[in-house]
Amino acid sequence: MTGIIDKHYLFAPLSEADRQRLTQRKNRRYYHAGSMIFTRNQATTDFFFVISGTVRLYFSAPDGKEKTVKLFSRGQSFGEALMFMRHDTYPANAIATEDTELLVINNREFREILSKNNELCFAIMGALAEYVQSLSSQIEMLSVFDARTRLLHYLREHMRGERKNGALCTLDINKKDLAEYLAIRAETLSRLLKQLEQEHVLVWDQRGVIVHDWKKLQDA
């Protein structure tokens, strides 16, 4: 766990002592699949870092339909913007989509560390600026690239496992949520995956993604 935390933009600039203070075992929480982490209008006391599993941030419409805002997986944080903006309540719902372990950071405690160190504040501002730039690149991908290119880009970036032909790779996302994340219809995603299967590039089954030809996937 230490490695992924050390690389995160909120924790990398911290001293080793402050990192250990915030990431000790008592700050870890486990959520079973389907467990709510927080609900809309709940008081904001903490922000979260994903150690393992996946969290879905979503809105519920009056008609009962849900709209996924974002999916967070291993190495990502969520809720920290509310800490900096001093929002009193969470604006959306968060649910674990699979068994998930989170690091729960108290907002007051984190702000207390920052208030004592101006240089640390500047360091985190710089790290945040880099993170925003990476998000801008993601927005460009969603707005400029076609659906197939967005799908291939996502698969190349997020599949975990040995990258050799015939290997099984895993993804912390299901097809429904992936379609929403890529801003495409579920039918379109199914069609694209069928095309990739017919082209002998990959197959997505219940276990994960089996890549038949990594070169084709990289070049596609």
Side-chain angles (χ1 to χ4, degrees):
M1 182 185 77
T2 302
I4 57 172
I5 290 178
D6 291 348
K7 297 175 183 176
H8 190 272
Y9 58 86
L10 285 178
F11 301 107
L14 297 176
S15 68
E16 183 63 27
D18 284 334
R19 258 200 309 274
Q20 290 182 359
R21 170 185 169 187
L22 293 171
T23 60
Q24 53 191 307
R25 182 167 293 277
K26 72 179 182 66
N27 290 343
R28 298 189 198 183
R29 290 184 198 164
Y30 295 88
Y31 296 84
H32 291 298
S35 298
M36 296 300 300
I37 297 160
F38 56 74
T39 56
R40 186 181 181 189
N41 295 327
Q42 181 179 327
T44 55
T45 56
D46 310 289
F47 72 91
F48 307 84
F49 178 89
V50 184
I51 298 172
S52 64
T54 308
V55 173
R56 181 168 72 99
L57 194 69
Y58 70 95
F59 291 109
S60 295
D63 60 4
K65 292 182 179 179
E66 296 179 353
K67 172 61 180 175
T68 298
V69 179
K70 188 170 174 59
L71 293 159
F72 298 92
S73 56
R74 174 178 166 83
Q76 295 181 305
S77 61
F78 60 98
E80 67 270 28
L82 303 175
M83 171 187 65
F84 290 119
M85 299 163 68
R86 293 183 178 272
H87 274 221
D88 294 330
T89 59
Y90 295 108
N93 308 294
I95 188 171
T97 62
E98 58 182 324
D99 290 348
T100 296
E101 181 181 6
L102 300 179
L103 186 65
V104 182
I105 308 297
N106 181 265
N107 291 340
R108 179 190 53 75
E109 189 172 7
F110 195 87
R111 284 198 300 263
E112 183 179 285
I113 292 173
L114 295 182
S115 67
K116 296 177 181 178
N117 190 332
N118 289 337
E119 289 302 317
L120 175 59
C121 293
F122 284 117
I124 287 184
M125 287 171 63
L128 279 169
E130 291 183 3
Y131 179 63
V132 169
Q133 191 170 21
S134 71
L135 290 180
S136 296
S137 299
Q138 181 179 326
I139 292 171
E140 181 180 358
M141 178 194 75
L142 290 172
S143 61
V144 176
F145 295 159
D146 61 26
R148 179 184 169 102
T149 303
R150 298 202 297 272
L151 171 61
L152 292 169
H153 177 83
Y154 185 93
L155 293 175
R156 288 192 292 260
E157 292 292 315
H158 293 82
M159 283 193 300
R160 297 198 308 272
E162 191 175 359
R163 301 208 163 197
K164 69 176 184 179
N165 292 345
L168 175 68
C169 298
T170 58
L171 286 167
D172 290 331
I173 192 170
N174 58 41
K175 291 180 182 178
K176 175 180 177 295
D177 290 336
L178 178 58
E180 287 195 15
Y181 179 79
L182 296 175
I184 60 178
R185 296 170 64 87
E187 309 89 86
T188 302
L189 175 60
S190 295
R191 176 175 53 80
L192 291 172
L193 290 171
K194 187 65 176 178
Q195 287 177 0
L196 293 170
E197 182 177 347
Q198 292 171 344
E199 294 167 12
H200 305 290
V201 177
L202 57 83
V203 174
W204 184 329
D205 63 22
Q206 292 181 341
R207 298 171 299 161
V209 180
I210 300 173
V211 180
H212 294 306
D213 194 326
W214 273 101
K215 187 176 187 308
K216 283 185 179 179
L217 179 59
Q218 295 293 343
D219 296 343

